[in-house]
């Protein structure tokens, strides 16, 4: 990646999935919450249903996965990372899963997650 | 990745971006065309505007990038990869770019790419 122009990964309108993975996520207070693990894309529509935040654990390993609605994330160029307008305490009570205990990712789960963040579930 | 359950990466409805990157792409005749490099996601909507196929070059390095509309790709479990219903000759004439010469990725470019594959441009 090091020799690739940043323009390959991000334009005004678009962002590349492999640029987002590993990107830091902060809250409004500037606390580092974790990193984006990946996007979960709905196959039929090609829409990102969740950006998965990995949070907790040691040295970025083994934390829990917090699926976030796309609209919850804002990219801030100055910070070189995403910002979510959430307190750590809100995130700590949010829907999450360990790698070994993945949810069904069905519509019911989607409504639960989106509902927690107050976002309409569009799938 | 090796010790992660496949269920972490793919469910019936969703697919993880980091599973797709590097996945092989075949045509209907079973020829291996290349691999998926990444997704380009439209920031505002969270929709995948292109799945980028890397094709040509040596040993998977330095090939050209072919942005494909999402609907052009079909995942085939048996093959463990994506299938596109395109002859190699069609792909050879398709819109493409080298890493060092990225297009603007504006609406005009989107219409050109989607038009080439006969897909309505929804952005």
């Amino acid at each position: 990646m090091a020799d690739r122009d940043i323009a390959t990964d991000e334009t005004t309108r678009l962002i590349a999935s492999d640029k987002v993975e590993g990107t830091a996520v902060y809250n409004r207070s500037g606390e580092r919450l974790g990193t984006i693990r990946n996007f979960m894309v709905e196959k039929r529509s090609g829409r990102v249903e969740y950006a998965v935040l990995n949070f907790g654990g040691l040295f970025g390993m083994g934390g829990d996965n917090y699926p976030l609605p796309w609209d919850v994330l804002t990219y801030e160029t100055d910070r070189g990372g995403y910002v979510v307008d959430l307190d750590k305490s809100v995130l700590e009570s949010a829907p999450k899963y360990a790698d070994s205990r993945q949810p069904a990712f069905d519509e019911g789960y989607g409504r639960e997650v989106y509902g927690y963040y107050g976002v309409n579930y569009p799938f």
Side-chain angles (χ1 to χ4, degrees), chain A residues 11-23:
Chain A
T11 71
T12 312
R13 294 183 51 246
L14 306 179
I15 191 155
S17 54
D18 54 344
K19 177 184 165 73
V20 176
E21 292 156 14
T23 300

Side-chain angles (χ1 to χ4, degrees), chain A residues 80-108:
Chain A
Y82 285 91
V83 172
V84 292
D85 192 8
L86 300 170
D87 289 331
K88 243 183 184 170
S89 61
V90 173
L91 202 59
E92 279 162 355
S93 306
K96 65 179 177 183
Y97 56 91
D99 285 351
S100 55
R101 288 186 173 235
Q102 179 175 305
F105 282 128
D106 56 11
E107 192 181 312

Side-chain angles (χ1 to χ4, degrees), chain A residues 23-24 48 50 58 65 71-72 91 93 109:
Chain A
T23 300
V48 177
Y50 309 106
L58 288 172
N65 299 302
D71 288 344
V72 168
L91 202 59
S93 306
Y109 185 76

Side-chain angles (χ1 to χ4, degrees), chain A residues 2 5 8 14 20-21 32 35 60 64 78-79 81 89 91 98 109 113-114 121:
Chain A
D5 192 294
T8 308
L14 306 179
V20 176
E21 292 156 14
R32 192 176 184 282
T35 55
D64 280 318
D78 292 352
R79 196 162 262 155
S89 61
L91 202 59
Y109 185 76
V113 171
Y114 274 63
Y121 182 68

Side-chain angles (χ1 to χ4, degrees), chain A residues 24-43:
Chain A
V25 178
Y26 303 89
N27 66 13
R28 288 277 166 220
S29 317
E31 286 178 285
R32 192 176 184 282
L33 298 175
T35 55
I36 296 291
R37 177 168 187 166
N38 60 20
F39 290 158
M40 298 296 287
V41 179
E42 208 240 346
K43 292 181 195 171

